Amino acid sequence: MFYLIIVTILWAFSFSLIGEYLAGSVDSYFAVVTRISLAALVFLPITQWRGIAKPFIKGVMICGALQFGITYVCLYLSFSMLTVPEVLLFTILTPLHITLIDDLLNRRFQPWALLAALIAVFGAGIIRYDAISPNFLVGFLLLQIANFTFAAGQVYYKFLINHYPSTVPQYKRWGYFYIGGFFVAFPAFLLLGNAATIPQITLEQWSILAWLGFAASALGMYWWNKGACQVDAGTLGIMNNALIPAGLIVNIVIWNHNADLLRLILGGIIIASSLWINKLGRNRTL
């Protein structure tokens, strides 16, 4: 839980920085490629290639392609079809994907984890619900692909760690993740990005991109997935939604954006209660 809580705080600041300084002025695909490239610079020099099971290396690359590559491509495409409130609303379905994928991989069904994830979704929905435009089906489907791939990357990495035990520390087996993400993000930038906007990026924006790459994408992604290996699927799903109230609090305190505080508090309480329900369910099944 420690890693997940730290990264939740880290990413809460990241979302505000993206919204305030990058969105609409820095090409989204270029921003993703930059973040992946900078994060790779942190881990690739210390990545161990010998003595590591090849299926594990390929698996972590797949995690990167799913969790960083496809997720972000679909996310940015969805912004052209959905309003920001719609995007935020539809991302709260990630916990459902996590619990269902985890049960599928482990050939089981845990109703308590699914119930806790549904409650967390309900709590996040209270915080972020807004009017939905009538023509949103394609954007909704794209965002569910993003939710699914982000969830699948987390669950599959946990699966790989459990099935390929090693004395080599995780941080020396993590660099493959960014290679997989780059193989998706870079072609997407070449096909969909706008390179003409790159010379217009300011020093302030470059600084934010550097922070997002080295902190949010390097340490953040690593710590998040390491933390995911230390908790059950229900807790992992809930923590995916904890970012919503955390991000709102950061936005309100620093940038003084308007928000419905009553809905924020109520949704936060419901999300917190889902942690208790998930723990209660685990204790009863032990």
Side-chain angles (χ1 to χ4, degrees):
M1 280 291 291
F2 173 76
Y3 290 109
L4 298 179
I5 292 172
I6 292 297
V7 178
T8 294
I9 297 171
L10 181 67
W11 284 351
F13 282 90
S14 300
F15 272 82
S16 290
L17 289 172
I18 293 169
E20 294 293 330
Y21 298 105
L22 302 182
S25 55
V26 176
D27 180 75
S28 300
Y29 300 99
F30 176 75
V32 175
V33 172
T34 301
R35 290 177 62 172
I36 292 177
S37 300
L38 293 177
L41 290 178
V42 175
F43 281 95
L44 285 181
I46 58 175
T47 298
Q48 182 170 320
W49 296 90
R50 295 183 178 180
I52 307 298
K54 290 184 178 179
F56 179 85
I57 294 176
K58 293 178 181 178
V60 177
M61 287 184 180
I62 291 173
C63 290
L66 289 170
Q67 196 176 342
F68 211 150
I70 298 175
T71 295
Y72 279 88
V73 169
C74 291
L75 177 65
Y76 288 123
L77 283 174
S78 70
F79 270 102
S80 65
M81 304 173 190
L82 299 172
T83 65
V84 173
E86 288 170 352
V87 171
L88 291 167
L89 172 61
F90 296 149
T91 56
I92 67 175
L93 298 176
T94 303
L96 294 181
H97 295 287
I98 288 175
T99 54
L100 294 175
I101 294 170
D102 183 73
D103 285 347
L104 179 64
L105 284 175
N106 291 283
R107 297 181 180 180
R108 64 169 184 258
F109 176 68
Q110 297 186 84
W112 282 101
L114 181 58
L115 176 61
L118 284 170
I119 293 172
V121 167
F122 177 69
I126 289 177
I127 296 172
R128 273 303 189 180
Y129 178 77
D130 202 345
I132 299 176
S133 61
N135 193 11
F136 68 95
L137 182 58
V138 176
F140 175 82
L141 292 175
L142 280 171
L143 203 49
Q144 294 321 300
I145 295 173
N147 290 340
F148 178 84
T149 53
F150 188 70
Q154 298 172 68
V155 175
Y156 187 43
Y157 180 73
K158 181 178 180 180
F159 178 84
L160 290 169
I161 289 294
N162 291 334
H163 284 74
Y164 293 95
S166 174
T167 57
V168 179
Q170 283 190 45
Y171 67 86
K172 290 187 177 181
R173 297 183 289 156
W174 179 246
Y176 329 122
F177 179 88
Y178 300 106
I179 296 175
F182 188 84
F183 282 156
V184 173
F186 186 67
F189 168 66
L190 295 179
L191 293 173
L192 304 169
N194 183 7
T197 63
I198 297 176
Q200 302 170 12
I201 300 177
T202 65
L203 178 60
E204 182 180 55
Q205 291 170 329
W206 277 115
S207 300
I208 292 171
L209 284 172
W211 189 86
L212 291 172
F214 291 125
S217 298
L219 297 178
M221 276 291 188
Y222 171 65
W223 283 341
W224 182 267
N225 282 276
K226 183 175 182 179
C229 296
Q230 300 174 0
V231 300
D232 60 277
T235 301
L236 179 60
I238 291 163
M239 290 306 298
N240 271 263
N241 270 0
L243 182 61
I244 295 176
L248 277 173
I249 291 171
V250 169
N251 209 258
I252 293 170
V253 172
I254 298 179
W255 282 279
N256 297 314
H257 280 190
N258 295 327
D260 191 327
L261 291 179
L262 179 60
R263 280 164 54 179
L264 173 62
I265 294 171
L266 179 59
I269 291 173
I270 292 174
I271 291 175
S273 70
S274 66
L275 279 169
W276 175 78
I277 291 173
N278 182 61
K279 181 179 180 180
L280 176 65
R282 292 204 316 274
N283 291 339
R284 287 192 175 185
T285 54
L286 291 177

